[in-house]
Amino acid sequence: MFTKAIVRKPAETFANGISTVNLGKPDYNLTLKQHDAYCEALIKCGLELTILDANPDFPDSCFVEDTAVVTKYFGIIARPGDPRRLGEEKEIKKILEKEFDHLYHIEEPGKLDGGDIMQADNKFYIGLSARTNLAGSKQLSEILKQYHYDVYSIPVCTMLHFKTGVNYLGDNNLLVHRDFCSKDDFKSYNRIIIESGEEYAANSLRINNYVLTPKGFPKTKAKIEKLGYKIIELEMSEFQKMDGGLSCLSLRF
Ligand code: GLY
């Protein structure tokens, strides 16, 4: 069970952040509204929220997940892989120092975005992407192995982060983008393959008794419902414009 989450309000500079999709500029007021709804959903899932003030110096900083990897017992401060985001992790460190007795750090030359790290029970998958390099992956892997987790590295070639395409719902259920579906690593899971046109919904997020899923992807929603989960659908249009998904918007522990 998760009990807490950290989120950060989107900054007025949000539209100046990094984006690779051609969906237009986000509307700031709508972004704030969607973020408020996201926070309400986390509260409905039973989480106590720490809401950090917006940081206009870092337009992407509402995507807090990329700045750290957290478990119930320890945290790891990441080292964002895009130079434009390097430094976001410093403020998160101050917050996590209060939460965890054991806090580790990814050090240069390691690069690592939390969006590339997925936990599935006692396993961790590390996506090797444009944001997470071998050195970052090795450092994280060594820390996780001290805690007896099994750790696997997976190349990410066609998307921003590993969790853009693969997300663990619990109970052995794995949402998988088709680019990952033939991977041997995932054959032991009940794989729910995301249908063409619904790729964005691969980033759905299990929190306690609910699965948060982006609005507008009915086939994925139906598949998740069929597994017996209660769904909270959220409008994510403005975050999607900036390459962000549901998991990116919080750190949960
Ligand atoms: N815009 C989110 C990211 O590039 O990390």
Side-chain angles (χ1 to χ4, degrees):
M1 286 288 275
F2 294 114
T3 55
K4 295 183 179 184
I6 297 168
V7 297
R8 186 188 285 288
K9 286 251 177 232
E12 280 175 46
T13 53
F14 183 58
N16 302 334
I18 307 163
S19 176
T20 56
V21 289
N22 284 318
L23 295 173
K25 288 273 177 200
D27 175 282
Y28 185 54
N29 286 329
L30 190 52
T31 304
L32 291 178
K33 223 171 129 188
Q34 293 182 356
H35 195 263
D36 284 347
Y38 180 82
C39 291
E40 277 168 31
L42 297 190
I43 291 167
K44 186 171 176 182
C45 293
L47 304 189
E48 180 194 321
L49 297 193
T50 299
I51 304 178
L52 306 177
D53 289 340
N55 183 347
D57 294 339
F58 290 102
D60 288 294
S61 56
C62 62
F63 299 126
V64 282
E65 183 184 54
D66 292 321
T67 61
V69 177
V70 285
T71 72
K72 262 268 157 290
Y73 310 105
F74 62 96
I76 300 137
I77 304 298
R79 198 166 169 276
D82 188 294
R84 290 165 286 186
R85 299 196 61 187
L86 198 56
E88 282 182 31
E89 74 285 4
K90 288 187 184 143
E91 271 186 71
I92 295 294
K93 179 183 164 171
K94 289 184 207 150
I95 305 297
L96 292 186
E97 274 168 349
K98 294 181 207 146
E99 295 286 348
F100 294 104
D101 291 336
H102 300 286
L103 201 57
Y104 303 86
H105 298 84
I106 301 300
E107 313 275 2
E108 209 175 350
K111 295 196 298 180
L112 187 133
D113 273 14
D116 279 318
I117 316 305
M118 185 187 79
Q119 183 173 5
D121 303 323
N122 67 334
K123 298 187 178 106
F124 271 89
Y125 293 90
I126 304 176
L128 294 170
S129 70
R131 300 286 180 89
T132 297
N133 64 8
L134 214 48
S137 160
K138 244 179 110 185
Q139 290 176 33
L140 177 63
S141 177
E142 276 162 23
I143 297 162
L144 294 172
K145 282 179 181 167
Q146 285 176 43
Y147 289 87
H148 309 293
Y149 288 104
D150 294 327
V151 185
Y152 306 89
S153 298
I154 311 266
V156 178
C157 307
T158 57
M159 50 196 78
L160 176 60
H161 287 129
F162 179 61
K163 284 191 287 193
T164 309
V166 184
N167 284 276
Y168 185 59
L169 296 180
D171 319 300
N172 208 44
N173 296 318
L174 193 70
L175 290 178
V176 193
H177 184 286
R178 62 186 169 280
D179 287 4
F180 289 100
C181 67
S182 59
K183 290 246 174 258
D184 283 346
D185 309 73
F186 302 136
K187 286 204 169 132
S188 63
Y189 293 97
N190 174 36
R191 285 165 297 170
I192 298 108
I193 313 293
I194 302 295
E195 299 203 20
S196 183
E198 298 218 350
E199 289 79 1
Y200 184 68
N203 189 262
S204 292
L205 180 61
R206 167 85 185 271
I207 303 178
N208 300 339
N209 294 330
Y210 293 92
V211 174
L212 275 51
T213 192
K215 213 169 196 158
F217 304 95
K219 291 179 192 156
T220 308
K221 182 186 170 214
K223 287 182 184 184
I224 298 172
E225 265 171 341
K226 211 171 152 197
L227 295 168
Y229 297 112
K230 287 193 277 184
I231 301 249
I232 302 176
E233 272 188 294
L234 289 168
E235 285 284 3
M236 287 290 290
S237 60
E238 306 315 287
F239 298 106
Q240 187 177 7
K241 288 174 185 173
M242 301 308 291
D243 288 345
L246 286 161
S247 70
C248 315
L249 285 174
S250 60
L251 282 163
R252 306 150 301 275
F253 51 101

